[in-house]
Amino acid sequence: MSPLPGAERVRSSLQLYRYLLRCCRRLPQGPVQQHYRHSIRQSFKVHADEDDPERIQQIIKRAIEDADWVMNK
């Protein structure tokens, strides 16, 4: 089960970034939401120079799985 509908349509890093930020909106307001928003931004910056399509797809798959885990926690 995906945290939000549309996870299967995420194909690019920008789509992933927007998808994860939308997931954050479903978290409780306050420090928890701020923590995950900050983490998403930092991860996006760290992987911004990634140009291997296979690696990008691995990152997208892992990020969606992690978001699913956080949302079900």
Side-chain angles (χ1 to χ4, degrees), residues 3-73:
L4 279 180
E8 65 280 352
R9 292 181 290 190
V10 174
R11 299 280 181 246
S12 71
S13 56
L14 184 57
Q15 288 174 334
L16 175 65
Y17 183 71
R18 293 178 69 204
Y19 173 79
L20 293 174
L21 289 178
R22 284 193 304 270
C23 287
C24 274
R25 292 183 199 150
R26 297 178 66 196
L27 295 172
Q29 293 284 337
V32 172
Q33 193 177 73
Q34 290 173 357
H35 168 77
Y36 284 108
R37 287 177 62 87
H38 177 74
S39 177
I40 291 166
R41 287 185 181 120
Q42 289 301 108
S43 294
F44 186 76
K45 289 177 186 177
V46 167
H47 296 291
D49 62 344
E50 187 66 55
D51 58 359
D52 179 17
E54 186 175 316
R55 177 71 178 130
I56 291 170
Q57 289 307 311
Q58 289 174 348
I59 292 169
I60 289 171
K61 182 178 182 290
R62 178 60 192 227
I64 291 172
E65 289 171 358
D66 290 347
D68 188 30
W69 182 83
V70 168
M71 298 303 290
N72 289 326
K73 184 176 169 185

